[in-house]
Amino acid sequence: MDITLHLAQQPEADALLGRSPLAALVGMLLDQQIPMEWAFSGPYAIAQRMGRDDLDAYEIAAYDPDAFAGLLSEKPAVHRYPGSMARRVQQLCQYLVEHYGGEASAVWDGVGTGAELLTRLKELPGFGEQKARIFLALLGKQLRVAPEGWREAAGAYGEEGSYRSVADITGPESLAKVRAHKQEAKRAAKQAAAAKATIRPAKPAKKKP
């Protein structure tokens, strides 16, 4: 895999994401509760702090947990919650070692259908339904992994021409569109919650004695 991505918005970090399946997976894992660019620059920061030019699942899985958490906690921290995310990254790598021989690409290599790939992604530690669908869309739209039915399996994130997630970001302009979509979705969710809160069931009238 050697593809140009624009998720970290940093040339060196994006180059690593484009050539390293494990870096792409780790970036997706880190992409929660922090800006996307921060999350996807994380794999490059981890590799640099380990003195490597790539991530290795075996090395990370076997790393001393406290020392690995320390790597992610060094300033600037890799994540807002470096300790808990360090554990998750190690759990992901341990799973890859146990189930895929330490090769992240083995998760999708040779998969026959999008549904099967979605199942595999959801089995990864730290990958829930939404994260798995977004990464599936990223694989299909930008990383040339497109098994039969991948768009359907990715759901709305697989729609062509959409700007819903990191799968649709190819540069500053698309990044702005994705951010605008997310802000609108948050606004709509808040309005729906507020409307629901104002609708209270009428209290039953008290019976006269």
Side-chain angles (χ1 to χ4, degrees):
M1 186 173 78
D2 192 0
I3 296 167
T4 301
L5 295 178
H6 300 277
L7 305 180
Q9 302 289 301
Q10 297 178 23
E12 297 87 353
D14 278 325
L16 177 60
L17 295 171
R19 71 173 185 268
S20 170
L22 179 55
L25 267 182
V26 170
M28 189 73 245
L29 178 67
L30 295 172
D31 187 24
Q32 58 188 63
Q33 297 181 298
I34 59 174
M36 178 206 71
E37 301 96 317
W38 185 3
F40 281 94
S41 65
Y44 180 74
I46 295 171
Q48 290 288 294
R49 293 173 189 183
M50 295 179 74
R52 304 286 186 265
D53 59 5
D54 197 355
L55 301 180
D56 181 275
Y58 281 96
E59 183 177 14
I60 293 174
Y63 218 89
D64 176 78
D66 290 336
F68 191 67
L71 284 180
L72 271 69
S73 300
E74 289 178 18
K75 293 184 179 180
V78 168
H79 196 276
R80 180 175 291 148
Y81 306 107
S84 61
M85 295 312 294
R87 287 193 296 274
R88 291 190 181 188
V89 171
Q90 285 197 290
Q91 288 168 355
L92 173 63
C93 289
Q94 288 160 0
Y95 185 90
L96 292 173
V97 167
E98 293 172 7
H99 296 271
Y100 293 101
E103 294 292 332
S105 61
V107 175
W108 51 84
D109 283 347
V111 171
T113 67
E116 181 185 354
L117 178 51
L118 179 62
T119 297
R120 287 190 179 192
L121 290 171
K122 287 165 59 178
E123 289 171 348
L124 297 176
F127 278 68
E129 182 83 26
Q130 184 182 43
K131 192 179 290 287
R133 289 182 185 275
I134 291 173
F135 192 76
L136 175 52
L138 178 63
L139 286 171
K141 290 182 175 182
Q142 298 198 50
L143 298 177
R144 303 172 189 163
V145 179
E148 182 180 355
W150 71 269
R151 287 189 186 276
E152 292 79 4
Y157 300 108
E159 293 176 0
E160 189 172 0
S162 66
Y163 293 96
R164 296 177 180 273
S165 72
V166 298
D168 305 304
I169 295 173
T170 56
E173 183 179 348
S174 53
L175 171 59
K177 290 181 179 180
V178 169
R179 284 221 166 103
H181 172 82
K182 289 186 175 183
Q183 289 172 354
E184 180 57 34
K186 285 182 181 179
R187 209 163 23 241
K190 286 182 180 179
Q191 290 175 348
K196 186 176 181 181
T198 58
I199 301 173
R200 305 277 185 187
K203 294 182 179 180
K206 292 184 178 180
K207 294 182 179 180
K208 292 183 179 181

